Amino acid sequence: MNVNSPLIRKCVAMGFIAHEQVSSSANASAHTCEFILNNSKLSSKQLAAHCSSWFNLPTLNIAKVDPNSIPLDNISEELVKKHHLLPLSKRGRTLFLATSDPTNFDAFEDFEFNTGLQTEAIVVDFNGLEQFIESIFSKTDNLELTDDEFEQFGDIEVQETSANLSDAAQEDKDDAPIIVYINKILMDAIRKGASDLHFEPYEKTYRIRFRIDGILHEVASPPQMLSSRISARVKVMSQLDIAEKRKPQDGRIKLKITAKKSIDFRVSTLPTLWGEKIVMRILDSSSAMLGIDVLGYEPAQKAMYLDALSQPQGMILVTGPTGSGKTVSLYTGLNILNKAEVNISTAEDPVEINLVGVNQVQINPRADMTFANALRAFLRQDPDIVMVGEIRDLETAEIAIKAAQTGHLVLSTLHTNSAPETLTRLLNMGVPAYNVASSISLIIAQRLARRLCNNCKTPETLPIEELKSQGFSDEQIGNITLFKAVGCEHCTEGYKGRVGIYEVMRITSEISQIIMSGGNSLDIAKASLESGFNSLRLSGLEKAASGVTSLAEINRVTSY
């Protein structure tokens, strides 16, 4: 406390504090206003009103200020708490500071030196300002981990290039909580089994969401003022240009969790109205090693897939919307085929999971490395098995079909809603009907449904008429017990994990004839059912009947 403070002298002159009290407290370390409040009958608000009147300064109710509007760029928490000054707004080259002691000229000079701006004082009450400062920085402080959490997450190793390390070395010590916070968010996502992370800035808020079991859930809402610092840290980790905020960017992060386990994150940034939105896809290679038994295939469907994989030639197509598990199905098949005696090459956009023993090629249209060009190169590389990430155009389709017809096993994906529609999609692309009928051996359409939590699921009783309208057969109705989601501490909204729902269709002679005669997807679907191949809807009903998932979830994923 400065006993020569103009504010203390004014309080003595006005009779609010005795001169003897000031003299006896010469060595007190309390803030000037705190000393005045402790040694006078003035309230915090009364002192603010007097300061406004004595020094002809505007006053403000700090409680009505939006915390997210505080301009803390390049201003440290240490500076704010040291001087008990808080930036309120910036206009041109002037920074307006909330203060309870407008005579603390050294503090204003310190802010001007650190910001390069002129300062103007706005008087607020001491207690209100103190609480407001604590509320703001407690949000930032909460980003730090406890000692136990730090021990748990402190072993994370971000594998960065030398350029990134130099960028990281320049990060201010005030960013240390952000670094630890981002590490904790990533570990929380892994622990909760999330597939994607969304970092989303808005005008006055900021939210972080995890996609768990296919559904987005909000998990955190840090202060909006941290938006730029969060995006900068993620961009440093993923080897992106920090200065570029006007264009989308793509990168990757590799987290080394333990000595033997690491997880990749695919990072995408997108400039939005209020900052950069960041989406991170978790690429856990262990998901590709699950094995076909846990993916959810019915015994007959599994047998058809394994039989198609064992063939020396032909084409296997996996179809479904984004996020339906196509990549895991393909990687599971490649893992089964991955042996020393075969040459496997893949063209992917992007390469999501690294498989040892498989020659994986990243598609790069700028370098003219398209799916079609990659396929042409593969056919000159003595391949046995070829995987094409997606058939997007006629050129790629024709080369893939030619490969399947000339002694190679080809795996690929298409974005269609069902197995029969996949065939008509290829025909509509311009692929001749005889090539479609002769080259494709198996089509798998799939969706992912949330599994019911075994700890809290409860039986559900529905009228027989309702069960029939849903598509259950008379035989099923007499022998099934349906379950519904409840929710408990072990799950998320009554579900935990996901299971695949599949429509596996082998190209039989009857289906080949329909293709050759110009039949449509409805004709093919009818022939498929007559051949004993379940549709997606029927496969989903079997999952509900067996208690794996709920009827409501099947209706959601099959758009019933």
Side-chain angles (χ1 to χ4, degrees):
M1 182 192 70
N2 180 10
V3 294
N4 294 315
S5 164
L7 181 57
I8 289 183
R9 294 203 305 268
K10 187 68 175 178
C11 286
V12 172
M14 298 297 295
F16 294 131
I17 300 178
H19 185 273
E20 293 77 15
Q21 289 177 298
V22 178
S23 300
S24 63
S25 304
N27 296 321
S29 59
H31 187 276
T32 299
C33 290
E34 186 176 11
F35 172 79
I36 294 172
L37 295 175
N38 290 337
N39 293 276
S40 72
K41 294 183 179 180
L42 291 173
S43 69
S44 180
K45 290 184 179 180
Q46 287 174 333
L47 178 59
H50 283 305
C51 284
S52 175
S53 174
W54 292 338
F55 304 108
N56 194 27
L57 291 171
T59 186
L60 176 71
N61 183 357
I62 191 70
K64 294 185 177 181
V65 175
D66 180 4
N68 292 314
S69 68
I70 302 300
L72 285 176
D73 295 341
N74 302 318
I75 298 175
S76 68
E77 175 184 356
E78 181 182 4
L79 185 65
V80 170
K81 289 187 174 180
K82 175 184 176 182
H83 297 302
H84 213 253
L85 291 178
L86 183 69
L88 290 176
S89 63
K90 186 168 64 174
R91 187 182 304 160
R93 300 294 302 167
T94 301
L95 184 66
F96 293 89
L97 296 172
T99 180
S100 55
D101 179 10
T103 67
N104 189 359
F105 304 120
D106 290 341
F108 287 92
E109 288 180 3
D110 204 357
F111 264 81
E112 290 177 353
F113 176 79
N114 279 274
T115 63
L117 301 172
Q118 296 177 346
T119 58
E120 292 285 346
I122 296 178
V123 179
V124 299
D125 73 274
F126 175 82
N127 291 338
L129 179 59
E130 187 173 48
Q131 293 174 6
F132 196 83
I133 290 175
E134 286 301 320
S135 69
I136 286 180
F137 289 105
S138 65
K139 294 180 180 179
T140 304
D141 292 340
N142 287 339
L143 303 183
E144 298 187 32
L145 302 178
T146 64
D147 291 340
D148 291 340
E149 289 176 321
F150 189 81
E151 289 180 6
Q152 180 181 0
F153 302 123
D155 292 336
I156 298 176
E157 178 182 336
V158 182
Q159 299 181 1
E160 299 170 335
T161 63
S162 57
N164 291 118
L165 290 175
S166 64
D167 289 336
Q170 296 173 7
E171 289 183 301
D172 191 279
K173 66 178 181 180
D174 295 321
D175 284 330
I178 296 293
I179 295 171
V180 179
Y181 181 59
I182 295 298
N183 286 351
K184 182 179 185 298
I185 288 291
L186 298 184
M187 289 303 299
D188 282 348
I190 294 168
R191 187 173 63 248
K192 292 180 179 179
S195 60
D196 300 86
L197 297 80
H198 291 240
F199 296 80
E200 301 169 317
Y202 297 97
E203 181 179 9
K204 296 182 179 180
T205 60
Y206 192 96
R207 71 177 177 183
I208 299 174
R209 295 190 291 173
F210 293 169
R211 188 176 293 279
I212 301 173
D213 298 335
I215 306 295
L216 282 169
H217 302 273
E218 183 171 341
V219 296
S221 182
Q224 205 279 340
M225 69 185 74
L226 298 177
S227 171
S228 59
R229 293 166 66 186
I230 290 174
S231 61
R233 175 56 190 166
V234 173
K235 288 162 81 172
V236 166
M237 296 171 70
S238 49
Q239 306 176 24
L240 300 179
D241 184 357
I242 297 178
E244 181 55 76
K245 299 180 180 180
R246 299 169 299 172
K247 297 179 181 178
Q249 297 186 70
D250 295 302
R252 290 176 80 100
I253 298 173
K254 190 177 188 68
L255 289 187
K256 190 174 182 181
I257 307 301
T258 65
K260 296 183 178 180
K261 182 177 178 63
S262 62
I263 292 180
D264 288 351
F265 291 77
R266 191 178 76 209
V267 181
S268 172
T269 70
L270 178 69
T272 68
L273 189 60
W274 305 110
E276 288 180 284
K277 172 174 179 175
I278 298 173
V279 175
M280 305 170 71
R281 166 68 59 87
I282 298 179
L283 307 174
D284 186 358
S285 58
S286 62
S287 64
M289 310 301 174
L290 291 174
I292 194 170
D293 292 324
V294 299
L295 296 185
Y297 286 95
E298 301 297 332
Q301 295 174 334
K302 171 186 168 184
M304 284 190 284
Y305 189 20
L306 292 176
D307 180 63
L309 289 172
S310 67
Q311 301 301 314
Q313 66 184 52
M315 180 182 289
I316 300 173
L317 293 175
V318 182
T319 182
T322 301
S324 60
K326 300 188 299 296
T327 299
V328 173
S329 287
L330 284 177
Y331 278 132
T332 299
L334 289 178
N335 198 43
I336 293 171
L337 297 169
N338 190 10
K339 300 176 182 177
E341 57 265 26
V342 295
N343 176 21
I344 303 177
S345 295
T346 72
E348 305 173 58
D349 184 22
V351 176
E352 295 193 358
I353 299 173
N354 296 325
L355 296 177
V356 177
V358 176
N359 306 293
Q360 296 174 276
V361 173
Q362 170 70 53
I363 294 304
N364 185 1
R366 292 183 179 179
D368 202 29
M369 177 58 78
T370 61
F371 281 118
N373 289 339
L375 267 174
R376 289 192 185 94
F378 289 168
L379 296 179
R380 296 191 292 271
Q381 291 273 316
D382 185 29
D384 295 297
I385 300 162
V386 171
M387 195 269 272
V388 186
E390 183 182 351
I391 294 178
R392 297 176 178 173
D393 50 50
L394 177 59
E395 183 182 20
T396 305
E398 288 179 335
I399 300 172
I401 285 175
K402 186 181 295 183
Q405 292 174 331
T406 54
H408 307 93
L409 180 62
V410 179
L411 290 78
S412 189
T413 71
L414 272 176
H415 281 183
T416 57
N417 292 323
S418 67
E421 289 178 29
T422 303
L423 296 171
T424 55
R425 170 74 183 279
L426 289 171
L427 295 172
N428 291 336
M429 277 186 182
V431 180
Y434 62 86
N435 279 342
V436 173
S438 63
S439 60
I440 299 175
S441 54
L442 190 75
I443 301 175
I444 301 172
Q446 66 180 78
R447 302 288 188 276
L448 289 177
R450 292 177 291 174
R451 287 180 181 270
L452 282 168
C453 173
N454 290 324
N455 292 296
C456 65
K457 67 180 182 181
T458 185
E460 179 181 27
T461 302
L462 293 176
I464 293 178
E465 293 76 13
E466 174 68 14
L467 295 176
K468 287 184 177 180
S469 68
Q470 291 286 337
F472 288 103
S473 64
D474 291 337
E475 183 181 350
Q476 286 177 313
I477 290 174
N479 297 284
I480 64 171
T481 300
L482 297 178
F483 292 86
K484 64 180 180 180
V486 177
C488 67
E489 61 182 3
H490 302 287
C491 64
T492 304
E493 298 178 353
Y495 297 96
K496 188 174 184 179
R498 289 191 288 179
V499 64
I501 299 173
Y502 303 93
E503 177 182 20
V504 181
M505 186 178 76
R506 188 172 58 239
I507 307 303
T508 63
S509 57
E510 291 80 10
I511 293 176
S512 294
Q513 290 176 3
I514 294 174
I515 296 170
M516 296 295 292
S517 62
N520 57 34
S521 59
L522 295 177
D523 299 326
I524 297 171
K526 181 179 178 182
S528 175
L529 288 173
E530 291 173 351
S531 299
F533 307 144
N534 276 354
S535 65
L536 274 171
R537 177 68 183 174
L538 292 178
S539 294
L541 292 178
E542 287 191 3
K543 289 289 190 297
S546 62
V548 174
T549 187
S550 66
L551 181 59
E553 179 67 3
I554 295 303
N555 288 339
R556 182 184 72 85
V557 298
T558 59
S559 302
Y560 183 71

